[in-house]
Structure formats: structure tokens, C-alpha cells
Amino acid sequence: MTRPAARGGRASADRLARLLNLVPYLLARPGIEIAEAAVDLGVTERQLREDLELLWVCGLPGYGPGDLIDMAFDGDRVTITYDAGIDRPLRLTPDEALALVVALRMLAETPGVANREAVERALAKIEDAAGDLVGAPVAVRLPGDTERVRQLRAAVERGRALRITYYTAARDETTDRTIDPMRMLMVGGRAYVEAWCRRAEGMRLFRADRIDAVTELDEPAAVPPQARPHDLSDGVFRPSAELPLITLRIGRGERWITEYYPCERVEADGEQWLVSLRVTDLGWARRFVLGLGSEVTVVAPVELAEQVRAQAVAALEAYATPVAPADPALPAGSR
């Protein structure tokens, strides 16, 4: 029973803050159209009109003529004629100032943000105005914001081509590539550089934490005119019918798979679930399944089940083979 009251209390607090800021806003814009003001303030015209009607009965103690806030209407335009001393916007609280500074710093440090200079200018103004409230300088470090990410971002901003050594987890291989960067991105807490890969002759996304080495070349990045950025509205991995489909039977302890990976089918099978999902290739799927617990069984395809079984047997046999003890009579360097 307390939840509706809590919501009402929050709404009242929000309205109070809006009303206190409304007067200095209107004072700075005499004769503004109500529709324009509603858009600026993020409310409906109806809500703004209700707020203005409430302001008419607000003012200084005494609440007689000359004490209440007054305004004049000219059609759909409004002008404050008496502000009752509310002529300045509310000051930020220390918590509000700190939250705003942290948010802007995170935005400024996020790879791929357009017009970072504007963000930094706004941040400098707010820090200067809120310095006494915030106190100590604020340092923000994003997840995955490493020296490698900063190096890549600088190269992208300078428009330089790169030579990278990249680990491809799906194929468990490391390759050397020359890329023409287009932009930096932050998706799911990980940094990516989106670039034209000359080796693959196509646009690719390279995870920053999988780039083992990077060299900035003297030549400028030359992204071909036909290159198009990826649509990441649904994440980095986009399942398609061309990719292999695997089906796993999972126990309760592995149900997190359905939340972490896009699944095509999830159905209950007693205490277990049958889960079907697309994978980049069966090599990745084999390593994925082997890294899970004993509550996972491969249902399909048969090829994947055989690969998992063969590698698991080989691992067990390796552990079962005893290692001959070193001869203590031999010198340490010859053992």
C-alpha cells in the first residue's frame, strides 16, 4: 500500500522543482509561446497550463495582492509580471552536481562520441560553476578503458591506417591485418574499432581487448566509398539463418545462457531446458560447451557432440597418463 503514496510523493517533488524553475525560465523569455515552453521543459501543454494556474496562487507570506506571483497572457503567449523574488534557478545539490559531472565525464571518455569538444566545453563550465559543491576533482574510468583503447581512439581521430595483430576467438587464431579505421564504439561495456579490413576486404569490428599489438602507419585511413557502418541496434552479434544452429540441454545452473546469448528456441524438458541458438562456427561452439559445467549436453548437431566428446576424452586421457618423477641424482639443469 505504500508504493502508490511513494509515487505520489515523487511526483509532487518533481512538480515542486519544476515550478521553482519555471518562474526564472519565463522571466528570461517574456512573451514565449506556451507550446514552445512545453517542449523546452519536457512537459505537455496541458501540464504547463496547470502549472501556470498553480503559480497564480503561490507567492510570499501574506498571500494578498502584491504577494502572489502574477503573469499576463496574450493569446498563447505568457509573460511573468511579478516573480515574488523567485528570479534565479535552483542551485544544484552536491549530489546533483557530482552526478552531472560524472555523467559528462563518462560521455567524454566513451569511444565514438561525436563532437567530444562540445561535451568537454560543457563539462568545464559546469565544473567551474559547481567546483565548491563537488569538492575534489572527479576522475572517471570506463570499463575496458585501457591504454590500448586510448591509442586506438587517437589513431581514429587522426585518421590513420593501422597494422594490428588480432586474436579471433571464433576460430581461435591470431592474424596480422592492415585496417582503415572508421570509428570507435562502446557496446556492452566493451570497446571496438570499426574499420575496413584490407585482408578480408570488408567492414569488420575488432574488440580492443583482443588486439595484441598495434602500429600506426604513416598513410591516412582509406575507407572505400562502398563501406557502410554496422547496425548495432541489436548488439554486435546478429544471428542469421546461414550460421550453424546448435541445441543444448541445460540444467538450472546454466540457464544464464538464455539471458546472455540470443536464443531461437527455449522450451522446458522437465527440470531441464532445451535451448537452440546460432553460433559463428562449430569450433567456437566446441570451446563454449567445454567451458560449461556438467549440466550441459549437446543435442544437435551430431558433429558438435562428437567433437566435444573426443576433446573431453583426450583431456581425461592426458590427466590419466602418469608423469615420470624426476631423477633426484641428476643435476637440476639436466632434468
Side-chain angles (χ1 to χ4, degrees):
M1 296 297 293
T2 60
R3 290 184 179 179
R7 285 197 297 268
R10 179 68 250 179
S12 298
D14 290 343
R15 191 179 192 189
L16 176 60
R18 191 169 65 245
L19 289 170
L20 291 173
N21 283 289
L22 181 56
V23 175
Y25 170 85
L26 294 176
L27 281 172
R29 300 164 179 81
I32 189 173
E33 291 187 357
I34 293 178
E36 181 183 348
V39 172
D40 285 350
L41 297 169
V43 297
T44 64
E45 288 188 46
R46 178 180 177 181
Q47 180 63 68
L48 180 55
R49 290 182 185 276
E50 291 177 355
D51 289 346
L52 292 173
E53 290 176 1
L54 182 57
L55 279 179
W56 243 325
V57 296
C58 298
L60 299 173
Y63 307 109
D67 298 324
L68 300 179
I69 295 172
D70 202 3
M71 64 197 79
F73 288 91
D74 181 11
D76 286 333
R77 297 178 179 275
V78 60
T79 300
I80 296 290
T81 57
Y82 178 65
D83 57 43
I86 308 177
D87 57 353
R88 290 181 297 174
L90 292 176
R91 286 179 57 84
L92 293 173
T93 66
D95 287 346
E96 290 171 337
L98 181 60
L100 188 57
V101 168
V102 170
L104 283 171
R105 280 207 174 278
M106 289 184 66
L107 185 62
E109 294 298 322
T110 300
V113 171
N115 201 1
R116 181 177 288 104
E117 293 80 7
V119 175
E120 291 175 346
R121 286 197 301 270
L123 178 61
K125 291 180 180 178
I126 293 173
E127 285 183 324
D128 181 60
D132 294 338
L133 295 176
V134 175
V138 177
V140 174
R141 183 180 180 87
L142 294 177
D145 185 16
T146 62
E147 181 60 35
R148 176 74 73 224
V149 171
R150 290 188 285 273
Q151 183 182 10
L152 291 168
R153 185 169 60 200
V156 171
E157 292 174 349
R158 285 192 290 267
R160 295 291 186 176
L162 300 173
R163 183 178 296 112
I164 63 173
T165 301
Y166 188 71
Y167 171 70
T168 304
R171 295 189 295 274
D172 191 25
E173 67 176 14
T174 300
T175 55
D176 293 322
R177 303 164 182 255
T178 299
I179 64 173
D180 299 292
M182 176 181 283
R183 59 176 177 167
M184 289 291 296
L185 301 165
M186 186 70 74
V187 184
R190 294 190 176 94
Y192 295 80
V193 56
E194 185 175 32
W196 176 265
C197 177
R198 299 183 189 179
R199 182 174 181 267
E201 297 185 343
M203 290 297 295
R204 294 291 186 271
L205 286 170
F206 299 98
R207 264 179 57 171
D209 59 345
R210 291 180 179 169
I211 297 178
D212 295 328
V214 57
T215 302
E216 185 174 326
L217 304 180
D218 292 334
E219 59 183 289
V223 180
Q226 70 271 20
R228 293 293 181 270
H230 291 79
D231 178 8
L232 301 177
S233 56
D234 294 324
V236 175
F237 178 67
R238 300 178 65 84
S240 64
E242 294 76 24
L243 296 176
L245 181 69
I246 69 171
T247 301
L248 308 175
R249 180 177 285 108
I250 65 175
R252 182 179 298 274
E254 304 296 344
R255 290 180 182 178
W256 61 268
I257 294 172
T258 62
E259 300 177 359
Y260 195 80
Y261 295 97
C263 298
E264 291 195 1
R265 182 173 66 105
V266 178
E267 64 180 51
D269 184 18
E271 287 295 316
Q272 297 181 317
W273 287 0
L274 284 175
V275 178
S276 298
L277 63 154
R278 299 283 175 180
V279 297
T280 51
D281 59 43
L282 293 186
W284 180 90
R286 183 188 71 250
R287 295 189 298 276
F288 172 65
V289 173
L290 286 168
L292 298 173
S294 59
E295 295 185 49
V296 176
T297 304
V298 177
V299 176
V302 175
E303 178 186 356
L304 176 60
E306 292 176 346
Q307 290 179 7
V308 170
R309 184 182 301 110
Q311 191 158 342
V313 169
L316 290 173
E317 290 176 348
Y319 278 104
T321 303
V323 179
D327 188 346
L330 296 174
S334 61
R335 292 177 188 174

